[in-house]
Amino acid sequence: MPLTTVNGKLPLIITNIEHLKVKKMKQLKLITFSVDSVTIGKLYDGKELICHTIERPWVNNARNTSCIPAGDYVVKLTNSPKYKVCYKVKNVPGRSHILFHKGNSVNDSLGCILPVSTIDVFEGKIGGLSSGRAYTRMMNHLNGESFNLTIERH
């Protein structure tokens, strides 16, 4: 039996197909380099610098000790018991609970990515300044949306 209406025309199933468009996830890039005690990075959305970052140094992806490997990841908003609403890096090989959260020193992280406004030296150790401000800028920029993250390690 053919699909027709009373007047012989095909029914209009979708009147406004605009709402069916799939929104493309943002593609962010984190470009980093490691020194003995810290990994320093810059997080970009295209050519726009969102913030600087600090992470633990590369120690062969050791849990709670190392930054995560270079690669492509999906990052989604989550609700952490410790850090509340933050972003979680998904499917990191050999790792779990890798978050973007506030912190100004590698001692504030067990392998997570810490947004900071600037990089500086404190008592002979490299760290970040104004993590709260950088974190707020990042959160406002992303507006709760998931994103793809490419991490480059140099």
Side-chain angles (χ1 to χ4, degrees), residues 4 6-8 24 31 43 54 68 82 84 90-91 100-101 103-104 115-116 125 127 129 138 143 146 149:
T4 59
V6 175
N7 63 4
K24 190 175 180 181
I31 302 172
L43 182 64
I54 57 171
I68 64 174
K82 184 173 182 180
K84 307 301 179 220
K90 308 291 279 181
N91 301 318
F100 278 82
H101 66 79
N104 288 312
V116 296
K125 294 185 180 180
L129 292 173
M138 181 190 80
N143 197 31
S146 298
L149 176 66

Side-chain angles (χ1 to χ4, degrees), residues 56-69 88-89 91-98 109-112:
R56 290 190 166 265
W58 176 250
V59 188
N60 298 317
N61 200 32
R63 187 180 299 269
N64 299 331
T65 307
S66 177
C67 60
I68 64 174
K88 182 176 183 177
V89 184
N91 301 318
V92 178
R95 304 286 287 280
S96 61
H97 306 295
I98 303 299
S109 168
L110 295 175
C112 296

Side-chain angles (χ1 to χ4, degrees), residues 79-86 99 101-102 107-110:
N79 196 347
S80 159
K82 184 173 182 180
Y83 298 106
K84 307 301 179 220
V85 176
C86 61
L99 306 174
H101 66 79
K102 297 176 195 173
N107 295 331
D108 298 327
S109 168
L110 295 175

